[in-house]
Amino acid sequence: MKSFFLRVVLFLFIISCIGCKQNSKISKSKTASSENSIHYAKGFEIYKHQGFSIVKITNPWPEAKESFTYILQEKNGIIPDSLKQFSIIPIPIKSIVVTSTTHIPALELLGVENTLIGFPNTNYVSSEKTRKLIDTRKVREVGSNESLNTEVIIDIKPDVIVCFSLNNSNPTLDNLRKSGLKVMLNGDWTEQSPLGKAEWIKLFGALYGLDSKANLIFSEIEKEYNSTLALAQKATTKPTVLYGSMYQNQWTVPQGESWASLFLRDAKSDYLWTNTKGTGSLPLSFEVVLEKAQNADFWIAPGDFKSLKEMSNSNPHYSQFASFKNKKVYSYAGNKGAKGGILYFELSPSHPDWVLKDLIKIFHPELLPIHKLYFYQKLE
């Protein structure tokens, strides 16, 4: 259980890395000529101009009080004097360091995974394509999940470092900036909308000058998700759902406005904490959960267990739930990469349509009779 909890924390936060403390105010005259091309994501904006783009990271971490602005300069592009105060990144980039496994699928979908030259804690990467690059030493280890190795990053000199931060305290910032490296914050992990998370592929598309390709890829994801969402509306039942498990005498469930909760809603299920306010996790006692969810039809994401027997050995009280007795417990923790990384954590933000199809298959199998579960597995 401890290892699963740590992996969940790592998925949500992965690494406390570097930021870019800048004054983010842009005169309206410089953005008025271009519309924001982002539609679902709440944490970033892209404004296209002739010869350059303005990228604003508006929600780099939860409850952030500041935003960050980057200017992506095309070859021979002319940057107005009023924008030269911001970090200017020449595009298309040719090399990159990313710091979250959730960034890997975007690189692969765009076909630019070969430009990845550094990653912290490479064992967490599960993708077969990127693992080959790591195993052949084309991707350098650049530190741990606690801190980045600035010496290695300075040595490999990536065109840009895409990272994320938990707050505005970033101890490695000065060394990296003084070395001339370009640092860009990525706040995809703060998004709650399933399509909002997936839309961050457009940020990478902008860095590589592959905006059209990124737009096309996202349009396909959007189309698949919305068509699957429409299919879910045909369901004639709405099963009740329990989520999560105990850790250190506490049961945490996703709050009603969170990413996980929205998936359960879209899959036409009755998630028992769907009416709670907030986007984080809600800590509860076992007694409270048992009283509310003892007769729930399904149990989703019960922890890092491989079987029902393993669950009951860990906590005999789990057997009191009807979903456990009826063997309707489904986990995403069993589908792992070569080094033990959970594929759900890496891939699900970029493939919300896959997640939604899995959940519909679980709750309403008659709607997707030939679909095979990708992320989830039924515990026996």
Side-chain angles (χ1 to χ4, degrees), residues 105-125:
L107 299 181
E108 294 187 352
L109 286 168
L110 290 168
V112 295
E113 66 274 6
N114 288 330
T115 66
L116 178 66
I117 60 174
F119 189 87
N121 242 327
T122 55
N123 281 345
Y124 284 105
V125 178

Side-chain angles (χ1 to χ4, degrees), residues 310-365:
E310 195 173 301
M311 286 182 65
S312 60
N313 287 342
S314 172
N315 188 334
H317 297 298
Y318 285 154
S319 61
Q320 297 181 52
F321 291 93
S323 51
F324 183 97
K325 296 175 184 178
N326 297 329
K327 298 182 179 181
K328 291 186 176 182
V329 182
Y330 291 81
S331 172
Y332 56 61
N335 196 355
K336 298 180 179 179
K339 296 292 184 177
I342 297 176
L343 287 171
Y344 181 84
F345 293 163
E346 183 171 316
L347 290 175
S348 59
S350 293
H351 296 282
D353 49 326
W354 297 1
V355 178
L356 186 58
K357 287 178 182 179
D358 270 12
L359 291 173
I360 291 175
K361 177 68 174 183
I362 292 169
F363 303 143
H364 310 288

Side-chain angles (χ1 to χ4, degrees), residues 24-296:
S24 62
K25 294 181 181 179
I26 302 176
S27 64
K28 292 183 179 180
S29 63
K30 295 304 177 184
T31 59
S33 62
S34 172
E35 292 186 0
N36 177 26
S37 59
I38 306 305
H39 305 295
Y40 293 92
K42 303 299 183 183
F44 80 115
E45 301 168 359
I46 298 178
Y47 300 90
K48 296 286 291 181
H49 296 266
Q50 184 175 354
F52 67 95
S53 296
I54 300 172
V55 175
K56 294 182 66 178
I57 307 301
T58 57
N59 193 37
W61 53 79
E63 301 180 1
K65 304 298 183 186
E66 55 193 310
S67 61
F68 300 84
T69 299
Y70 309 92
I71 310 302
L72 308 188
Q73 183 180 23
E74 300 170 21
K75 186 177 181 180
N76 299 323
I78 299 175
I79 307 300
D81 290 342
S82 61
L83 298 179
K84 290 180 179 179
Q85 62 179 304
F86 304 111
S87 179
I88 298 175
I89 302 173
I91 61 168
I93 63 169
K94 302 298 182 185
S95 61
I96 193 170
V97 167
V98 299
T99 57
S100 167
T101 57
T102 61
H103 303 159
I104 300 295
L107 299 181
E108 294 187 352
L109 286 168
L110 290 168
V112 295
E113 66 274 6
N114 288 330
T115 66
L116 178 66
I117 60 174
F119 189 87
N121 242 327
T122 55
N123 281 345
Y124 284 105
V125 178
S126 298
S127 162
E128 292 184 6
K129 281 185 178 181
T130 303
R131 281 239 59 88
K132 287 180 181 178
L133 297 173
I134 294 170
D135 295 341
T136 55
R137 300 184 180 180
K138 293 179 180 179
V139 178
R140 292 278 298 274
E141 175 71 54
V142 295
S144 68
N145 286 315
E146 290 73 36
S147 60
L148 293 175
N149 189 323
T150 56
E151 292 183 359
V152 172
I153 296 176
I154 290 171
D155 181 57
I156 61 179
K157 297 179 181 177
D159 289 343
V160 69
I161 305 160
V162 175
C163 63
F164 71 85
S165 180
L166 304 181
N167 50 48
N168 62 357
S169 177
N170 299 287
T172 58
L173 172 64
D174 289 338
N175 286 338
L176 290 166
R177 291 189 66 191
K178 287 177 182 178
S179 71
L181 295 176
K182 304 295 184 179
V183 177
M184 174 178 278
L185 286 175
N186 182 311
D188 62 354
W189 62 289
T190 69
E191 296 289 343
Q192 299 308 321
S193 157
L195 287 175
K197 278 187 186 289
E199 196 170 19
W200 280 78
I201 191 175
K202 294 180 181 180
L203 177 70
F204 290 97
L207 286 171
Y208 286 94
L210 296 173
D211 303 81
S212 295
K213 186 173 184 179
N215 290 339
L216 181 61
I217 292 169
F218 178 74
S219 292
E220 287 300 313
I221 294 170
E222 178 188 25
K223 179 181 176 181
E224 281 297 309
Y225 192 90
N226 286 332
S227 64
T228 306
L229 180 61
L231 180 66
Q233 303 313 306
K234 298 180 180 180
T236 56
T237 61
K238 198 174 183 181
T240 50
V241 176
L242 164 66
Y243 196 103
S245 60
M246 292 291 294
Y247 179 75
Q248 294 185 343
N249 299 319
Q250 203 167 63
W251 195 308
T252 56
V253 301
Q255 291 179 309
E257 297 166 317
S258 68
W259 185 66
S261 177
L262 294 180
F263 272 120
L264 296 173
R265 180 202 65 188
D266 286 353
K268 200 70 180 294
S269 72
D270 180 13
Y271 172 51
L272 293 174
W273 282 270
T274 192
N275 291 325
T276 58
K277 301 297 181 181
T279 59
S281 296
L282 181 66
L284 301 169
S285 68
F286 178 84
E287 291 75 17
V288 168
V289 174
L290 181 64
E291 181 180 2
K292 190 175 185 71
Q294 184 170 10
N295 295 316

